[in-house]
């Protein structure tokens, strides 16, 4: 089989080189976008007189036919074609002869592959945005039902202050909302630079209409420098980075689910059909889904590092190294999509052990900040109030008591400073339920604050 570029070669390509350099085994995934780009290009070539009306109709018709062939599994992805671009063009020439030989006018695979990868990225970004939307809804739904489900909030993995499950879930909502916004920005940047017409590196002497191709493919602008255009892989790196960050967020959530599922925490139960067993230990029920998501995040982070490293030493313009940008990007996209989807399903198949969550707030002095703020509101400077409650906590540890159990006399034993300040309302204020309700600052965990956050989230999601 003669290569489309074989003119200046006296010998056929060595088989070992063909095997080593082919990309069709993985870039065949780009076929839809390659064909879409080729149709827009053919229409443009017709508008400038390179293709007659008849030739254009024929080209478009047979490009669509090739798409059907691929869809129905009747296409030869032979590695001798090297890549998907040459496989489709060769097939077109095979089907319509000389007319097919005109399609590559004023085009190189260098600008073609950049267009295809951009179109694929736009498509996949939309898929991921949809999955993110579904996941964000899942957090909102759990939050809606758990405005008053009390649990400990942690810093340094030590029980710190009282929060609600709604607050915890809405924290993840915020993280995945930012992931959505990042993808939206990336989408806008990709749409801003339509690369086709950049040629191999320096455009063309033919009077091509790049704006027309750009309009047909839904881009906002054509790229403004052909050299940059064929060597730019920023969008690949950004997409890898956005996926890596989503995976890092999923990995943090996974870590928490794994912890919450331990006997030690016992905050959640995972439904049997979303957990797995052990081949040796009959009693085991393991949280493999979050463990795998946590594990897979490593690979997606690796893909980001790979793409950064791939580009860092490459001079302008196109280098064959760039072919290595695809497998890692495809892998990041697929891993992120499947992880988002399965974590969503897992969350819907978890029950929360509300009693255990509440119990975990009842020791560990989670209301110490409330006690401190009580005395601040009574006029004590923050640092003095902090010291006072520190002493009260030490007193409680010594007497094996909780802060809310101290009598007025005991408070006075801790410090005579409390004498003029303390009232009998203190015990009410320190009761855990009241601690949650009182944390009413914007963004805080009180049911009122969280209701505001949930209403805002639902409004945002409905606009998507
Ligand atoms: N398969 C190549 C890639 O993915 C397409 C571009 C090849 N260009 C070239 N001049 N060999 O980057």
């Amino acid at each position: 089989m003669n290569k489309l570029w074989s003119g200046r070669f006296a010998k056929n390509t060595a088989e070992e080189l063909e095997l080593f350099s082919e990309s069709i085994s993985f870039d065949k995934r780009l076929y839809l976008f390659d064909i879409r780009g080729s149709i827009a290009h053919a229409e443009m070539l017709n508008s400038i007189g390179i293709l007659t009306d008849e030739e254009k109709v024929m080209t478009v018709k047979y490009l669509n036919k090739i798409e059907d062939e691929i869809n129905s599994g009747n296409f030869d992805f032979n590695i001798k074609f090297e890549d998907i671009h040459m496989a489709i063009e060769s097939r077109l020439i095979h089907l319509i002869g000389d007319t097919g030989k005109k399609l590559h006018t004023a085009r190189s695979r260098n600008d073609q592959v950049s267009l295809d990868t951009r179109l694929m990225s736009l498509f996949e970004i939309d898929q991921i945005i949809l999955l993110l939307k579904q996941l964000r809804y899942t957090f909102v739904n759990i939050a809606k039902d758990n405005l008053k489900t009390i649990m400990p909030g942690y810093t340094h993995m030590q029980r710190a202050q009282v929060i609600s499950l709604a607050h915890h879930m809405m924290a993840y909502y915020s993280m995945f909302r930012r992931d959505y916004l990042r993808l939206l920005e990336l989408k806008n940047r990709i749409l801003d630079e339509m690369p086709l017409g950049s040629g191999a590196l320096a455009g063309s002497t033919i009077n091509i209409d790049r704006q027309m191709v750009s309009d047909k493919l839904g881009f906002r602008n054509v790229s403004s420098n052909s050299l940059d255009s064929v060597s730019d892989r920023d969008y690949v790196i950004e997409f890898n980075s956005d996926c890596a960050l989503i995976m890092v967020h999923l990995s943090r959530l996974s870590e928490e689910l794994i912890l919450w599922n331990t006997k030690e925490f016992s905050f959640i139960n995972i439904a049997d059909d979303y957990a797995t067993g052990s081949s040796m230990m009959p009693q085991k029920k393991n949280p493999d889904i979050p463990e795998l998501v946590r594990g897979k995040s490593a690979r997606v982070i690796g893909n980001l590092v790979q793409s950064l490293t791939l580009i860092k030493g490459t001079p302008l313009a196109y280098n064959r190294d760039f072919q290595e940008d695809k497998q890692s990007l495809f892998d990041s996209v697929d891993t992120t999509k499947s992880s988002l989807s399965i974590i969503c399903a897992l969350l819907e198949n978890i029950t929360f052990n509300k009693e255990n969550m509440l119990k975990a707030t009842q020791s560990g002095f989670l209301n110490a900040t409330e006690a401190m703020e009580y005395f601040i509101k009574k006029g004590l400077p923050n640092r003095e109030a902090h010291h006072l409650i520190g002493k009260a906590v030490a007193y409680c540890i010594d007497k094996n008591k909780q802060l809310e159990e101290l009598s007025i006399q005991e408070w006075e034993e801790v410090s005579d400073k409390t004498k003029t300040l303390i009232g009998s309302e203190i015990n009410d204020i320190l009761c855990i339920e009241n601690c949650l309700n009182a944390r009413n600052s914007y963004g805080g965990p009180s049911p009122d604050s969280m209701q505001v956050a949930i209403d805002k989230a639902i409004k945002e999601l409905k606009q998507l």
Side-chain angles (χ1 to χ4, degrees):
M1 182 189 301
N2 271 339
K3 298 268 186 290
L4 291 175
W5 44 250
S6 64
R8 63 104 62 218
F9 289 82
K11 285 167 91 178
N12 284 339
T13 319
E15 212 169 303
E16 189 179 6
L17 171 54
E18 275 180 339
L19 267 172
F20 185 73
S21 66
E22 66 86 22
S23 55
I24 193 164
S25 56
F26 51 91
D27 67 16
K28 60 183 176 191
R29 175 173 175 153
L30 297 173
Y31 78 92
L32 261 185
F33 310 105
D34 196 78
I35 289 173
R36 223 193 289 164
S38 285
I39 289 176
H41 187 64
E43 285 168 340
M44 185 279 287
L45 291 179
N46 170 239
S47 80
I48 61 166
I50 302 273
L51 288 180
T52 65
D53 288 351
E54 210 177 298
E55 285 172 331
K56 178 200 77 172
V57 170
M58 175 106 99
T59 303
V60 172
K61 181 175 162 198
Y62 279 88
L63 281 169
N64 283 323
K65 180 181 157 47
I66 293 171
E67 184 180 324
D68 291 343
E69 285 178 358
I70 298 177
N71 286 337
S72 57
N74 296 317
F75 189 84
D76 181 15
F77 290 108
N78 197 310
I79 63 154
K80 293 201 180 301
F81 291 122
E82 209 172 294
D83 56 29
I84 188 64
H85 324 293
M86 292 214 291
I88 291 175
E89 193 190 339
S90 302
R91 180 70 185 144
L92 186 72
I93 293 169
H94 178 82
L95 288 168
I96 63 174
D98 285 350
T99 302
K101 293 183 184 165
K102 293 187 174 181
L103 179 64
H104 211 50
T105 308
R107 185 176 82 170
S108 155
R109 278 181 295 156
N110 299 354
D111 52 352
Q112 196 179 352
V113 73
S114 169
L115 175 69
D116 294 2
T117 317
R118 281 171 178 269
L119 289 174
M120 182 229 60
S121 298
L122 289 169
F123 174 80
E124 296 292 4
I125 287 171
D126 281 344
Q127 305 302 305
I128 296 178
I129 283 177
L130 273 179
L131 288 162
L132 282 171
K133 180 179 171 183
Q134 200 186 339
L135 182 63
R136 287 161 69 196
Y137 258 121
T138 307
F139 290 124
V140 168
N141 287 336
I142 299 174
K144 264 199 312 209
D145 295 340
N146 289 286
L147 285 167
K148 294 182 179 167
T149 304
I150 289 176
M151 66 180 287
Y154 298 80
T155 60
H156 314 269
M157 267 211 81
Q158 304 287 312
R159 290 177 192 168
Q161 290 175 343
V162 174
I163 60 165
S164 67
L165 180 56
H167 196 221
H168 206 112
M169 290 295 108
M170 290 307 284
Y172 280 104
Y173 176 89
S174 296
M175 288 151 84
F176 290 103
R177 175 179 177 270
R178 288 193 297 275
D179 291 335
Y180 155 70
L181 291 173
R182 255 185 292 276
L183 285 172
L184 211 58
E185 282 171 26
L186 172 58
K187 201 171 151 179
N188 284 331
R189 260 191 294 284
I190 292 178
L191 285 171
D192 212 31
E193 293 186 84
M194 199 291 294
L196 207 67
S198 299
L201 72 161
S204 172
T205 62
I206 295 169
N207 189 22
I208 49 176
D209 184 350
R210 297 189 63 204
Q211 193 58 51
M212 178 180 169
V213 178
S214 173
D215 292 343
K216 282 192 179 298
L217 294 172
F219 283 81
R220 274 200 289 277
N221 289 307
V222 295
S223 59
S224 51
N225 185 298
S226 60
L227 263 192
D228 171 54
S229 212
V230 294
S231 73
D232 166 30
R233 292 293 180 276
D234 293 6
Y235 58 97
V236 173
I237 295 171
E238 276 193 79
F239 200 2
N240 272 321
S241 163
D242 291 355
C243 287
L245 206 35
I246 291 172
M247 289 303 293
V248 164
H249 288 160
L250 287 175
S251 182
R252 295 184 74 182
L253 172 65
S254 296
E255 170 67 12
E256 296 208 299
L257 295 175
I258 294 162
L259 279 174
W260 291 359
N261 188 56
T262 57
K263 197 88 209 133
E264 287 72 9
F265 270 82
S266 289
F267 282 4
I268 58 169
N269 287 327
I270 300 175
D272 276 2
D273 47 348
Y274 281 86
T276 41
S278 153
S279 59
M280 171 148 193
M281 297 168 282
Q283 84 283 13
K284 287 296 287 293
K285 179 172 157 185
N286 294 326
D288 284 19
I289 294 177
E291 286 177 310
L292 280 168
V293 168
R294 191 177 56 183
K296 282 171 192 282
S297 69
R299 191 150 40 84
V300 178
I301 293 168
N303 290 338
L304 168 61
V305 176
Q306 183 267 352
S307 62
L308 282 164
T309 316
L310 174 70
I311 302 306
K312 84 178 198 38
T314 50
L316 291 177
Y318 178 85
N319 303 275
R320 189 67 183 270
D321 315 38
F322 296 169
Q323 180 170 294
E324 292 287 321
D325 67 351
K326 280 171 226 39
Q327 279 152 305
S328 50
L329 180 64
F330 296 163
D331 179 57
S332 286
V333 166
D334 293 343
T335 309
T336 304
K337 278 164 56 180
S338 58
S339 301
L340 280 168
S341 170
I342 199 135
I343 284 290
C344 215
L346 177 66
L347 285 170
E348 283 160 11
N349 283 280
I350 274 177
T351 47
F352 293 92
N353 302 331
K354 299 182 187 182
E355 260 176 44
N356 288 346
M357 290 175 146
L358 178 64
K359 217 154 80 198
T361 62
Q362 284 161 349
S363 57
F365 307 103
L366 281 85
N367 50 5
T369 322
E370 278 77 0
M372 178 180 77
E373 290 181 352
Y374 171 79
F375 285 105
I376 291 173
K377 283 185 232 164
K378 294 275 178 163
L380 214 57
N382 173 276
R383 279 292 154 226
E384 277 189 38
H386 190 286
H387 189 73
L388 167 71
I389 304 303
K391 282 175 72 179
V393 167
Y395 180 91
C396 286
I397 292 170
D398 192 41
K399 303 272 189 241
N400 196 20
K401 283 191 157 190
Q402 300 302 317
L403 283 170
E404 63 275 25
E405 290 165 356
L406 294 185
S407 65
I408 304 278
Q409 287 91 314
E410 283 176 306
W411 276 107
E412 287 173 5
E413 250 180 72
V414 169
S415 162
D416 52 9
K417 282 215 172 105
T418 61
K419 250 184 199 146
T420 51
L421 305 173
I422 199 157
S424 58
E425 71 283 359
I426 179 103
N427 289 350
D428 246 9
I429 286 174
L430 295 186
C431 119
I432 294 298
E433 282 79 6
N434 290 342
C435 288
L436 180 73
N437 295 337
R439 299 201 154 272
N440 221 350
S441 49
Y442 188 81
S446 79
D448 288 348
S449 293
M450 272 306 106
Q451 191 60 57
V452 172
I454 288 171
D455 291 345
K456 194 167 162 236
I458 292 176
K459 212 167 133 198
E460 278 174 351
L461 289 170
K462 279 195 175 143
Q463 281 163 1
L464 267 178

